[in-house]
Amino acid sequence: MGGTWFLGRAIVDDALQRGWEVTAFNRGRSGAVEGAETVRGDRTSPEDMKRLAAHGPWDAVIDTSSSEFPPRNVLLAADTLRPVAARWVHVSTVSVYQGWPHHPLTEDSQLLACPPDADESFGHTGPDGSPTKYGFQKAGGEAAVRAAFGDDVVFLRPGVILGPGEYVGRLPWWLTRSQHGGPIVVPAPAAQMIQPVDVRDVAAFAVDQAAGTDGRPGRAFNIAHPEGISWADFIATCLAVTGSTGSPVWADEAALTSHGVKQWTELPLWRTHSGVWSVNASRAVAAGLRCRPLADTIADTWAWMQADGRPVEHPRWDEHGVDPVKEAQILATLGHS
């Protein structure tokens, strides 16, 4: 489900490399994947879902596209495909937890409550940005799949996914900014660890779970890099792979806040809540999640960009990155012009 964008594309590629027969269901906005059967359709349409079901049966469904749809549409897909699918691997998010992003998380952390048949109006975003309506909607999506598949479901709850093909624009912005050089505003402290994961590693784990290699259905897995990378190493790697002579200028929370810098978007990956990068992924690691060094993810993403890698057009791309004028103002405040 959603087999031609970013994670979906990486999952299809991984499954094909294993010799699997793959059906990719999508709306046709981002092409097709050679080697996979492509079925065009809209998952909000009962007729299209019935038409997709006619292409089954399958050993597993991997759903990467539910983030764009309310729980009731996830329920429609799960109910329609249940008779022709033995297992469902559902790509969810850490935002489904009540404690996100304020508290460290394990898979036993309390989830937000949302009914499986909720429409797009359900949920709210708190005054401090937590919980989020997005989190409620994704929790409802999990409830929808659980209602249809019972224990024959695996939930994957990633935080941030980076790598070649990224369409959100987080890592590409940092790479482009690094290439431009000069003094670069980077959030302090330099030693702060972050936990994004490579799209190819998430894909491999999703396909493993579709195969049932963990052997325990009805599981949920937090997906985060078990080692992570510090901000210092992150920006150093961005500068190195782009061949830049730029240099980081470390700005603390007070300096960034005084200039109205938006967390998470204007400086991608920067967020001060204590639980953002405190996601325990030990259960996934024990079940086979293997994460390459994030320095490799950064280098490979730059190589993809240099090879004219172009993601599908997505509105979230334009949300990311601080305006050069605002960055210059922050730099001047910090004594750099």
Side-chain angles (χ1 to χ4, degrees), residues 311-335:
V312 295
E313 292 186 6
H314 197 280
R316 292 181 67 187
W317 184 280
D318 293 331
E319 295 177 356
H320 292 89
V322 64
D323 183 89
V325 174
K326 180 182 283 190
E327 184 181 26
Q329 293 170 347
I330 299 170
L331 289 168
T333 301
L334 298 172

Side-chain angles (χ1 to χ4, degrees), residues 2 5-11 62-67 89-95 100 134 138 155-175 194-207 221-225 229 234 264 268-269 276-277 279 281 289-294 296-298 301 304 311 314 316-317 320:
W5 284 15
F6 194 35
L7 177 58
R9 181 65 172 258
I11 288 172
I62 304 179
D63 188 1
T64 68
S65 66
S66 67
S67 62
V89 178
H90 193 74
V91 180
S92 184
T93 171
V94 291
S95 296
W100 171 258
Y134 172 76
K138 291 289 275 187
F155 297 110
L156 307 185
R157 296 172 182 152
V160 175
I161 303 175
L162 304 177
E166 183 195 337
Y167 60 83
V168 174
R170 295 185 178 104
L171 180 52
W173 183 84
W174 278 111
L175 286 164
I194 59 177
Q195 295 179 281
V197 287
D198 190 291
V199 63
R200 296 161 293 185
D201 299 331
V202 181
F205 186 72
V207 177
F221 296 99
N222 292 335
I223 308 296
H225 202 291
I229 189 172
F234 176 85
W264 211 237
L269 306 177
V276 172
W277 302 119
V279 178
L289 174 66
R290 297 293 178 265
C291 292
R292 71 197 69 202
L294 283 162
D296 293 350
T297 303
I298 295 169
T301 302
W304 165 73
H314 197 280
R316 292 181 67 187
W317 184 280
H320 292 89

Side-chain angles (χ1 to χ4, degrees), residues 139-150:
E142 288 195 13
V145 178
R146 174 93 55 193
F149 275 77

Side-chain angles (χ1 to χ4, degrees), residues 258-281:
S258 68
H259 286 274
V261 177
K262 296 178 182 177
Q263 297 189 35
W264 211 237
T265 53
E266 284 193 289
L267 284 182
L269 306 177
W270 171 59
R271 201 164 184 176
T272 59
H273 301 84
S274 60
V276 172
W277 302 119
S278 298
V279 178
N280 187 322

Side-chain angles (χ1 to χ4, degrees), residues 146 151 153-156 209 214 216-221 283 287:
R146 174 93 55 193
D151 282 342
V153 61
V154 178
F155 297 110
L156 307 185
Q209 294 306 308
D214 182 55
R216 287 170 288 180
R219 300 287 315 266
F221 296 99
R283 179 186 289 181

